[in-house]
Amino acid sequence: MVFDTVILSGTIVTESDVFDADIGIHNGKIVTICESGSIEVGDAKVIDASGLHLFPGLVDVHVHFNEPGRDLWEGFETGSKSLAAGGVTTFFDMPLNSNPPTTTKERFLEKQQLANEKSIIDYRLWGGLVPDNIERLEDLHKEGAIGFKAFMSECGTDDFQHADNDTLFKGMERIAELESILALHAESNEMINYLTDKAQKEKRLSIRDYCNSRPVLSELEAVERVVRYAELTGCKLHIVHVSSKRVIERIKEAKEQGIDVTAETCPHYLCLSIEEFEKIGPTAKCAPPLRERQEVEGLWNSLKKGDIDIISSDHSPSPPDLKAQESIFEVWGGIAGCQNTLHVLLTEGYHKRGVPLSKIAEVTALNPAKRFGLFPKKGSIRIGSDADLTLIQLNETFVLKAEDLKYRHKISPYIGKTFIGKTKYTLSRGQCVFEEVDEKTSV
Ligand SMILES: NC(=O)NC(NC(N)=O)C(=O)[O-]
Ligand SMILES: [Zn+2]
Ligand SMILES: [Zn+2]
C-alpha cells in the first residue's frame, strides 16, 4: 500500500481502547492501522510518535469566531490556528457575535466564504433562531447549517435577539420538521434580569454577586421549560454550556423519558470555581457563571458516569477593553479557552481524577461527531476516517504563557496554569496544521 504519511509507534486512543500501532495515511484518510513496526514506510513522510498518544482530532461544537463584523475580537484565521494548536480539527461557529449574525441564507453564505478562505481546519456553521427568522430556517438548513442556536436570555450584544417562548416553540416545531437540531443557551431571562437589576440597585457588585445573579435554578427553569417544548414538538435539543450537575441530571431524566436531548459542558466549568474567578478577575467571566468548587466536582462525577455527552470550549473572546469595565456586570461575558480544551481535560481529568483517556476521546470527538452527523468521517481513529489526529506527550508539563496563545488577543483565564500533557502535532485530513516548535532549538 502507498502512503503519503506514516505515523510510527504511537499509542492510539479511541473511545473504547488504548493500544500501540502504526498508522498509514493516504489522500487525507486513515488507510491502515497495524502493529507497531509492521508498516511499509516506502516514500511516505514519517512522523515518529514513539512515546506519544494519538487522539482523534477534537470536534469543538461551540466557538464564537465573530467574523464578519467583529473580527477585531477574533476571526477564522487566528481562531482556527488556536484550535489546531490544541488538537481540534473541526469546529462549529456560532451564529452570534459575528455582525450581522448568521440568521439568513445570504449571511450564511458570506460567512462560509470567509471561513473557507481563512480556516486551516474543517468547520461547519450554526444558523441562528431569532424572533423574526422562522421563515428563513429552511434555507439555512438547505445551505448546510449544522443546526440552529437560540438564546433563552439576552446574549450581550444587540444584534442577536433572544428567543421568547413563542419564537422558541414555533422555531422548535419548524426545526423538528426539518429534522435538524436546536442548541440552546438555557438561562431564564426573567430570573436573571430580576436578580441582576436587584443586585445593581443595591450596589452588590462583587464577582460573587454577579455569580449569584445567575443561579443554577435559572438554568434548571429554562431547561425544564424547553424539554417540555421538545416533548410536544419532537425537536432535537442540545443544551450548551451546562454549569451544574443538577442540570445534567434533569437532562438525563428527560433522556430517560425519551426526549432527544444532549448535554454539553465546557473545560472552564470543570476547572475553575468562583474562588478562581475572584483571583483571576474579569477574564474568567462567563454565562452561566463559574460555580462553587463542589459544583466543579459534581460535573466530574457526571462525566465519569457518562451523563455528559459533549465537552466543547464556548470560546467567546473580546478585545481587552471589554474585559476592563469597572463593574463586573458590565464586563464582556465570555471565556477565551479553545486552545486548551484537551490540556484541561488531561490535566484535571486524566492526571488528577483518573478519567480514562477513552472517555476524553469520546466526549471531545466521537460524541460530537455522532450527534451532528459527521461520524464516521470525523470523531474516531479508524480505517476510512479522515486523518484528523492530535499527538500528545502525556506526561510533559508546561506553564501556559500569553505568547503561546494564537488568539487575536492574548487573554485567557488559563495563562499561568500548569498543564500536564503537551500537544506535539495536529493533522487535519493528513496535513500537519500544528507542530510544536522546540524551544531549545529555536532562537
Ligand atoms: N455572546 C456570547 O458569546 N455569549 C457567550 N458567552 C458566555 N458563555 O459567557 C455564550 O455562549 O453565551
Ligand atoms: Zn451561551
Ligand atoms: Zn457560546
Side-chain angles (χ1 to χ4, degrees):
M1 215 184 264
V2 178
F3 306 115
D4 307 316
T5 304
V6 292
I7 306 176
L8 305 182
S9 308
T11 302
I12 317 282
V13 180
T14 72
E15 64 282 0
S16 54
D17 210 357
V18 180
F19 57 97
D20 293 341
D22 290 343
I23 285 187
I25 297 168
H26 185 58
N27 281 342
K29 302 249 181 231
I30 297 172
V31 290
T32 296
I33 302 175
C34 60
E35 202 179 314
S36 290
S38 69
I39 206 164
E40 297 267 342
V41 175
D43 293 332
K45 178 184 169 196
V46 174
I47 297 177
D48 177 9
S50 43
L52 303 183
H53 281 71
L54 277 70
F55 285 77
L58 281 71
V59 178
D60 190 335
V61 308
H62 189 162
V63 302
H64 302 262
F65 285 164
N66 308 344
E67 206 171 340
R70 287 196 182 85
D71 42 327
L72 292 177
W73 295 24
E74 189 63 275
F76 287 115
E77 189 183 335
T78 47
S80 65
K81 284 182 177 165
S82 309
L83 290 173
V88 180
T89 49
T90 307
F91 68 87
F92 302 170
D93 187 60
M94 282 293 170
L96 67 148
N97 299 358
S98 55
N99 190 10
T102 323
T103 48
T104 68
K105 174 180 166 178
E106 294 69 28
R107 292 166 177 185
F108 186 93
L109 293 174
E110 183 193 1
K111 186 186 264 194
Q112 194 166 55
Q113 193 176 343
L114 289 165
N116 250 337
E117 284 163 17
K118 298 183 182 187
S119 177
I120 64 162
I121 58 173
D122 287 333
Y123 69 88
R124 296 295 291 273
L125 305 180
W126 289 97
L129 166 66
V130 289
D132 59 2
N133 83 330
I134 290 177
E135 299 306 317
R136 314 272 198 155
L137 301 181
E138 184 170 7
D139 278 353
L140 285 161
H141 178 66
K142 282 189 180 151
E143 290 305 331
I146 198 77
F148 296 93
K149 169 73 178 292
F151 268 68
M152 294 175 77
S153 56
E154 285 145 37
C155 80
T157 61
D158 293 334
D159 36 62
F160 191 87
Q161 294 302 307
H162 77 280
D164 53 75
N165 290 341
D166 196 49
T167 302
L168 210 52
F169 191 74
K170 290 178 181 150
M172 284 171 72
E173 222 172 35
R174 190 78 195 99
I175 291 166
E177 284 164 7
L178 296 170
E179 295 181 20
S180 187
I181 182 167
L182 180 64
L184 278 164
H185 177 124
E187 286 185 290
S188 158
N189 203 41
E190 289 71 23
M191 279 193 197
I192 61 183
N193 277 350
Y194 171 72
L195 293 171
T196 301
D197 282 353
K198 195 159 174 246
Q200 287 184 305
K201 277 194 192 113
E202 293 170 7
K203 301 259 183 302
R204 289 183 288 110
L205 301 175
S206 71
I207 281 176
R208 196 165 277 275
D209 293 327
Y210 164 71
C211 295
N212 291 339
S213 75
R214 304 180 87 112
V216 172
L217 278 172
S218 103
E219 283 182 73
L220 267 177
E221 191 276 326
V223 166
E224 180 63 45
R225 193 174 352 132
V226 87
V227 296
R228 297 295 178 198
Y229 287 13
E231 198 175 339
L232 214 59
T233 59
C235 182
K236 278 195 269 185
L237 291 181
H238 176 63
I239 309 295
V240 303
H241 54 43
V242 171
S243 76
S244 166
K245 183 180 180 167
R246 288 177 70 189
V247 181
I248 297 289
E249 301 220 310
R250 181 61 189 91
I251 294 169
K252 187 182 178 190
E253 216 178 282
K255 285 176 188 164
E256 286 162 1
Q257 290 162 356
I259 294 165
D260 191 349
V261 53
T262 39
E264 164 195 302
T265 193
C266 313
H268 39 274
Y269 299 113
L270 289 161
C271 179
L272 306 171
S273 66
I274 301 181
E275 291 91 85
E276 273 95 29
F277 185 6
E278 287 176 323
K279 281 185 209 131
I280 297 166
T283 304
K285 178 180 170 182
C286 59
L290 297 172
R291 304 284 183 206
E292 303 290 356
R293 190 35 63 183
Q294 80 226 35
E295 292 280 13
V296 175
E297 294 311 321
L299 284 177
W300 282 112
N301 290 336
S302 295
L303 182 74
K304 285 183 179 171
K305 285 199 317 192
D307 297 341
I308 294 176
D309 301 286
I310 292 177
I311 298 181
S312 281
S313 70
D314 189 17
H315 180 75
S316 186
S318 75
D321 55 315
L322 294 183
K323 281 289 188 189
Q325 306 293 308
E326 211 166 288
S327 158
I328 193 69
F329 284 87
E330 302 302 323
V331 162
W332 175 253
I335 281 181
C338 72
Q339 195 172 318
N340 300 113
T341 296
L342 190 54
H343 305 136
V344 170
L345 296 178
L346 292 174
T347 306
E348 298 292 324
Y350 172 70
H351 286 291
K352 288 201 192 152
R353 294 177 179 83
V355 175
L357 297 178
S358 288
K359 171 53 82 183
I360 294 175
E362 185 191 334
V363 294
T364 56
L366 182 79
N367 288 352
K370 278 195 166 164
R371 181 58 166 160
F372 296 98
L374 303 185
F375 178 81
K377 209 166 179 281
K378 307 287 186 195
S380 185
I381 301 179
R382 58 182 67 202
I383 292 173
S385 293
D386 284 354
D388 291 347
L389 300 162
T390 187
L391 278 64
I392 305 289
Q393 170 47 264
L394 209 52
N395 294 312
E396 190 172 332
T397 297
F398 69 101
V399 178
L400 185 75
K401 300 191 290 298
E403 61 264 33
D404 298 334
L405 296 172
K406 301 196 181 292
Y407 310 145
R408 172 139 303 166
H409 303 286
K410 314 298 178 203
I411 297 173
S412 171
Y414 303 126
I415 292 172
K417 182 172 168 62
T418 302
F419 288 110
I420 318 169
K422 200 164 189 210
T423 314
K424 297 290 170 176
Y425 301 91
T426 302
L427 275 71
S428 165
R429 282 190 268 133
Q431 299 300 311
C432 190
V433 287
F434 173 77
E435 185 172 354
E436 185 199 38
V437 181
D438 189 342
E439 285 160 26
K440 284 171 238 109
T441 53
S442 66
V443 267

